[in-house]
Structure formats: C-alpha cells, structure tokens
Amino acid sequence: MENKQLVQETIQSLTEFLPKIAEVCILISEDLRVDKESEALSNINEFIDAMEWTTQAINGIISLGYNLDINTNELNDFLKEAQEGLEVHDYVLVADMFEYEFAPNIEKWINKVKESSSEN
C-alpha cells in the first residue's frame, strides 16, 4: 500500500476514533464523581488501550514525513499524574485530569487531524 493512501486511511480512522476517546474522558470523570469507581477504572483501561493505538498511529504518520503538528509526549505528564492519583485513590484529581487535561488535549488533536485531512 502506498504511504499516502495508508496515511489517508489512518487519518480517517483517527477522525472517527478520537471523538470517542474524548467522550470516554468525560464519562470517566463523571463516573468518578458519582462513586462509580469500577466503571471508571474499566473505562480507564480502555482509554489507555485507545491512546496506545492513537499515539502509534500519529507517530507512524509523522515518521512518514507528514506533519500533524501533534506532540504525543505532551500527555505523558498528565498520565503520570493520573496514575499517581489512582494509586492514592484521589478520584477527584483523576476526574479533573480526565475532564480538564485529557479531553481538551484530545479535542486539539481532533482539530489538528481534521486540518491535516483537508490538506492531504
């Protein structure tokens, strides 16, 4: 498969997938705020899997010479802080991280992927 076609298909997948990740971020924060920890933790596991695929896809596109203007490393500090919050059962902190850090960053990624898809 030609690189350009692969990039276009991956961008299309990201366009469909990223809004779902943003929704899960809000769902996680809501669940944590109403003491539904088990549901939130299950969704956090899904979020981590989704982010793994997403960062691999974005970094793969970038490695092929396409500029998405997305730095996937920017979420690492937030992930560490959320992990620390989970370890000490600070669910307010974790809920805030998903609502005010992860979701807005994913929204930025959505916009950058949309911009990129209109350019390619």
Side-chain angles (χ1 to χ4, degrees):
M1 179 182 296
E2 182 184 321
N3 282 350
K4 186 171 178 123
Q5 182 182 355
L6 177 62
V7 168
Q8 288 173 337
E9 289 176 9
T10 305
I11 286 174
Q12 179 60 38
S13 294
L14 286 167
T15 301
E16 295 168 10
F17 199 55
L18 283 169
K20 294 175 185 173
I21 297 173
E23 290 173 16
V24 167
C25 289
I26 300 304
L27 182 62
I28 290 168
S29 69
E30 290 171 352
D31 283 348
L32 287 172
R33 289 193 174 105
V34 295
D35 297 326
K36 291 184 178 178
E37 287 91 4
S38 63
E39 290 92 333
L41 294 174
S42 174
N43 283 326
I44 288 171
N45 285 330
E46 288 180 29
F47 169 82
I48 291 168
D49 291 342
M51 288 306 298
E52 220 172 275
W53 178 86
T54 301
T55 56
Q56 287 175 358
I58 290 169
N59 290 332
I61 290 170
I62 292 169
S63 75
L64 292 172
Y66 293 83
N67 183 16
L68 289 179
D69 194 28
I70 295 174
N71 178 2
T72 57
N73 292 324
E74 64 190 3
L75 293 185
N76 286 344
D77 289 338
F78 298 141
L79 287 168
K80 288 176 189 169
E81 191 172 344
Q83 180 183 2
E84 291 167 5
L86 287 169
E87 288 171 359
V88 297
H89 304 285
D90 186 347
Y91 296 130
V92 172
L93 169 70
V94 177
D96 286 350
M97 294 295 300
F98 276 92
E99 183 174 0
Y100 300 116
E101 302 297 344
F102 292 119
N105 274 291
I106 300 300
E107 291 293 335
K108 287 179 195 172
W109 291 11
I110 291 168
N111 292 329
K112 290 179 180 184
V113 167
K114 284 180 184 175
E115 288 171 18
S116 174
S117 68
S118 65
E119 293 170 3
N120 290 322

